[in-house]
Amino acid sequence: MKKKTVVYQVFTRLFGNTNTTNKPWGTIEENGIGKFSDFTDKALAEIKDLGVTHIWYTGVLHHAVINDYTTYGISNDDPDVVKGRAGSPYAVKDYYNVNPDLAVDPSKRLDEFRELIKRTHEAGMKVIIDIVPNHIARNYKGLTNPGGVVDFGANDKTDVEYDVNNNFYYIPGTEFRVPQWQDGYLPLGGEENKFADSKFEEIPAKWTGNGSRLSQPHFNDWYETVKINYGVRPDGSKDFEELPQEFAQKDHKAHFEFWSNKAIPDSWNKFRDIALYWLDFGVDGFRFDMAEMVPVEFWSYLNSNIKIKNPDVFLLAEVYNPDLYRDYIHKGKMDYLYDKVELYDSIKHIMKGYGWTDHIPVVQKGMADIEHHMLHFLENHDEQRIASPDFVGNAELAKPAMVVSATLSTSPTMIYFGQEVGEPGAEDAGFGKSSRTSIFDYIGVPHHQRWMNDKQFDGGQLSTNEKKLRDFYKRLLNFTISSDALMGEYQEIHFFNKDHTEGYDHRVLSFVRWSEDEKLIIVSNFDADKSYNFELKIPEDIITKWELKTKEYSLVNELSHGDKKKLNIENGIGSIKMALKPLESFILRIEE
């Protein structure tokens, strides 16, 4: 039976950095950087032992950076169109190579990444990398393109705003101008640099990544990127054949066949070739950035091509509009989407103290038909760190939320490196401000560095509480990837207990999960101050479904194996005496 998947997202350049200087806008020499080689066999074994099945190496592709790599034939990037000193991983400069910052020898950077993939596979995990289809760096330049591959825009007709086979949209007769800087911002924090002159040559100007059609984009636009043209005309109409509705019910092979005899915009083929290149390289899956900004027909085309090559590939997409979820899953052939707007936002409100647990079963019911496809997380590189004061300021508050997030459905679970040791993201890194670990700058990640312990990767510098927190994550995640029930049935018992159980309220959540061989009762207390004592009720219909015959069953708590409870059945209804401490959860398995 297939088990749950756990994704460990790691910001690749930050993982192995032991430098603790953390100077705002610090250079690579001042603040340090991690390398591919820092993911040693020991480091990977420890990540695997945490309960991880897949590693998402974020920021691997060669994106715009400030460091001078002209010795290696790489052109310098202009600070006026680079965010931060280390650069955004979502402004890709060369899709067929990797970030030279990450290599011990930049001339062998592809070989070093290939070795990392090999080590990861040998450690028993699969590799995910980003593909960013909506936009690329303004200064795109492929140095190691395979034969027959030409750069984005190389064959564009630049005297027109739009052509179906142009890779970009143009503003003919205009010159690009960098934004007006705001709130005291200056590239590189104001440090002198010969390229930081408020100029960047681009004639004619192109549309900006977020869709801005201004030749001088706004400071808050994605001004460091240009938008890719997928054959969507400027008026929003589609210059390609639309996918018939019935293809929502068809498999990837039917999608592949549908597109095999159609005229395909050039950008579609470019990204197909990129994805297939990285599959050949050894990558096992992709995380697609801002997927909803790209037409669903493209995803049908790309993902069916990917799945024809490797049916087991892991495809995760960033989509935030719930109205589009089903289209991107069924027509776009995505495996998984972020469950951000529904589950994450609901749990965040509960953690912050004003949300009610009543909302979670409602969200889950609304997702019932696609629940397996909605990846759960509490942190990623875009979201605030749980331990940041701007979120809840206390990593312990994640415990009940993490139990619910990881056990509520059959979907994958994702954690962000450092989350398991309570990383607060408190540094002022430069472009990236505190509450999120910076994706734009060279910076150290203090709690994570204490776990690294000078690259011994043994948690030797962690506090007692940080060790306990990591152990909690380890016990929880390892249980989830071994459990049959978590890939089986779900039913909430929350509202039954709200109606029938004295002392039970909206700061507690309860539900059951089961398979033929495993039956679980999951209870979480989201309150940081209040303890609960009540008799949890198991409704009659569940007792019937589980075919429980005797009057008493022993329960073992999978989060603490020495902890046992009793399930008593009377008049067809089960009851369990529960004493829940603040932030405590139980995953109770029936011993039969």
Side-chain angles (χ1 to χ4, degrees):
M1 184 178 181
K2 198 169 182 181
K3 299 294 202 297
K4 287 264 281 188
T5 296
V6 172
V7 178
Y8 188 78
Q9 183 195 1
V10 58
F11 206 83
T12 312
R13 71 165 168 250
L14 302 183
F15 178 84
N17 184 19
T18 56
N19 187 309
T20 59
T21 304
N22 287 355
K23 173 186 172 184
W25 293 102
T27 64
I28 195 169
E29 294 79 15
E30 290 169 327
N31 281 359
I33 192 170
K35 303 285 185 181
F36 291 134
S37 57
D38 292 325
F39 292 89
T40 61
D41 291 340
K42 167 68 170 170
L44 291 167
E46 289 298 321
I47 294 170
K48 173 77 159 54
D49 287 347
L50 190 61
V52 171
T53 60
H54 293 62
I55 302 186
W56 165 17
Y57 290 110
T58 306
V60 160
L61 296 174
H62 185 178
H63 57 77
V65 298
I66 299 301
N67 274 347
D68 187 334
Y69 289 109
T70 50
T71 303
Y72 304 95
I74 298 168
S75 60
N76 280 314
D77 290 303
D78 189 326
D80 292 303
V81 288
V82 176
K83 287 181 176 173
R85 185 179 287 279
S88 167
Y90 299 106
V92 175
K93 175 173 176 164
D94 184 352
Y95 258 112
Y96 289 98
N97 219 309
V98 295
N99 182 358
D101 275 355
L102 300 175
V104 175
D105 180 351
S107 70
K108 297 179 179 175
R109 57 195 185 278
L110 275 172
D111 294 330
E112 291 187 30
F113 182 50
R114 188 179 279 109
E115 286 299 311
L116 173 57
I117 293 173
K118 183 172 179 249
R119 289 197 303 277
T120 307
H121 287 161
E122 288 171 348
M125 293 175 290
K126 295 192 172 181
V127 171
I128 300 167
I129 65 168
D130 288 281
I131 286 185
V132 189
N134 178 67
H135 49 274
I136 59 173
R138 288 200 179 268
N139 191 26
Y140 190 91
K141 181 64 179 171
L143 290 183
T144 53
N145 293 346
V149 171
V150 297
D151 278 356
F152 288 91
N155 297 327
D156 279 8
K157 301 170 185 174
T158 61
D159 58 343
V160 294
E161 182 179 31
Y162 166 84
D163 182 276
V164 66
N165 286 314
N166 275 359
N167 299 135
F168 305 128
Y169 298 92
Y170 293 90
I171 313 168
T174 69
E175 183 174 347
F176 173 80
R177 291 179 296 148
V178 303
Q180 290 283 332
W181 307 131
Q182 294 183 0
D183 304 322
Y185 171 82
L186 289 171
L188 306 183
E191 179 188 299
E192 191 171 319
N193 181 290
K194 64 181 178 180
F195 299 109
D197 55 3
S198 292
K199 294 176 185 173
F200 177 77
E201 186 174 318
E202 180 182 286
I203 305 171
K206 305 178 182 83
W207 288 15
T208 293
N210 62 322
S212 170
R213 305 182 188 192
L214 301 174
S215 57
Q216 182 179 32
H218 190 274
F219 179 55
N220 292 325
D221 288 329
W222 303 348
Y223 60 82
E224 80 280 25
T225 65
V226 290
K227 186 167 179 63
I228 299 289
N229 164 24
Y230 281 92
V232 178
R233 300 182 187 95
D235 65 5
S237 61
K238 295 176 178 178
D239 206 354
F240 48 82
E241 191 158 338
E242 293 201 38
L243 193 68
Q245 187 58 42
E246 63 264 23
F247 274 77
Q249 278 73 53
K250 294 182 185 288
D251 66 11
H252 70 268
K253 294 175 185 174
H255 284 244
F256 180 81
E257 288 298 323
F258 176 83
W259 295 112
S260 63
N261 61 356
K262 304 291 189 298
I264 301 299
D266 184 70
S267 296
W268 293 29
N269 287 326
K270 277 190 164 58
F271 272 97
R272 176 204 60 195
D273 293 345
I274 288 163
L276 298 185
Y277 168 86
W278 288 108
L279 288 181
D280 285 337
F281 202 85
V283 165
D284 306 293
F286 303 109
R287 180 266 190 187
F288 296 124
D289 184 75
M290 294 309 293
E292 69 195 86
M293 296 181 77
V294 178
V296 74
E297 286 86 357
F298 163 74
W299 294 115
S300 163
Y301 171 76
L302 178 68
N303 290 339
S304 62
N305 272 271
I306 289 172
K307 293 276 187 180
I308 286 288
K309 189 173 182 69
N310 178 4
D312 298 322
V313 75
F314 183 102
L315 302 178
L316 168 64
E318 182 185 26
V319 175
Y320 294 132
N321 182 351
D323 292 338
L324 296 177
Y325 286 171
R326 286 159 184 82
D327 267 0
Y328 277 74
I329 292 166
H330 299 311
K331 293 172 96 174
K333 290 288 162 258
M334 296 295 183
D335 293 324
Y336 308 107
L337 310 180
Y338 278 23
D339 199 344
K340 156 75 168 80
V341 174
E342 300 281 4
L343 187 69
Y344 169 85
D345 284 351
S346 299
I347 287 181
K348 184 172 186 178
H349 295 161
I350 297 163
M351 292 170 70
K352 288 173 84 67
Y354 51 79
W356 286 32
T357 56
D358 297 24
H359 198 54
I360 293 176
V362 176
V363 164
Q364 191 62 12
K365 185 177 181 180
M367 294 285 183
D369 61 316
I370 55 169
E371 61 88 26
H372 178 67
H373 301 281
M374 301 306 298
L375 173 132
H376 293 176
F377 63 88
L378 296 182
E379 283 190 358
N380 63 45
H381 68 278
D382 285 321
E383 306 299 342
Q384 294 170 329
R385 290 286 195 177
I386 294 159
S388 164
D390 290 338
F391 192 155
V392 290
N394 178 1
E396 295 293 314
L397 287 167
K399 285 182 172 179
M402 197 65 218
V403 169
V404 170
S405 181
T407 63
L408 187 66
S409 79
T410 65
S411 71
T413 304
M414 184 170 79
I415 68 166
Y416 189 36
F417 87 114
Q419 177 183 339
E420 70 276 21
V421 291
E423 180 58 47
E427 296 70 43
D428 176 5
F431 190 91
K433 299 306 176 189
S434 59
S435 87
R436 295 167 177 82
T437 296
S438 176
I439 68 168
F440 304 106
D441 301 286
Y442 302 113
I443 202 72
V445 186
H447 289 228
H448 169 72
Q449 288 174 325
R450 294 204 286 274
W451 171 75
M452 272 202 303
N453 191 23
D454 294 323
K455 300 189 183 180
Q456 294 183 69
F457 304 104
D458 60 3
Q461 296 177 33
L462 292 175
S463 70
T464 300
N465 285 341
E466 289 162 357
K467 287 178 181 176
K468 286 180 179 177
L469 183 67
R470 193 175 190 277
D471 183 61
F472 161 81
Y473 275 89
K474 186 173 180 175
R475 279 179 284 127
L476 172 63
L477 296 176
N478 275 286
F479 172 72
T480 68
I481 63 172
S482 65
S483 168
D484 285 343
L486 295 182
M487 294 303 289
E489 302 297 319
Y490 156 88
Q491 189 170 321
E492 60 89 5
I493 57 173
H494 174 74
F495 290 112
F496 185 88
N497 278 280
K498 276 199 82 179
D499 291 342
H500 297 95
T501 300
E502 187 178 346
Y504 183 105
D505 65 22
H506 62 273
R507 298 292 289 161
V508 181
L509 183 69
S510 57
F511 53 93
V512 295
R513 301 294 314 276
W514 74 94
S515 63
E516 189 175 338
D517 299 322
E518 187 178 46
K519 300 172 182 66
L520 304 176
I521 301 151
I522 298 164
V523 192
S524 288
N525 174 11
F526 280 82
D527 203 285
D529 304 308
K530 184 178 176 181
S531 295
Y532 286 84
N533 286 277
F534 51 71
E535 282 208 8
L536 186 76
K537 306 291 192 303
I538 310 300
E540 188 173 5
D541 65 325
I542 292 174
I543 300 298
T544 302
K545 287 174 186 174
W546 286 2
E547 299 178 348
L548 300 180
K549 306 295 185 188
T550 57
K551 290 190 175 181
E552 186 176 277
Y553 291 85
S554 182
L555 305 172
V556 62
N557 181 14
E558 292 290 351
L559 288 176
S560 174
H561 281 285
D563 191 5
K564 298 230 176 181
K565 294 195 176 297
K566 297 290 183 187
L567 168 63
N568 293 293
I569 301 172
E570 194 170 333
N571 299 323
I573 293 178
S575 65
I576 307 164
K577 287 185 178 177
M578 299 294 305
L580 279 167
K581 297 171 189 165
L583 304 177
E584 188 172 28
S585 295
F586 288 88
I587 301 175
L588 300 171
R589 178 175 54 82
I590 295 180
E591 291 186 317
E592 294 189 68

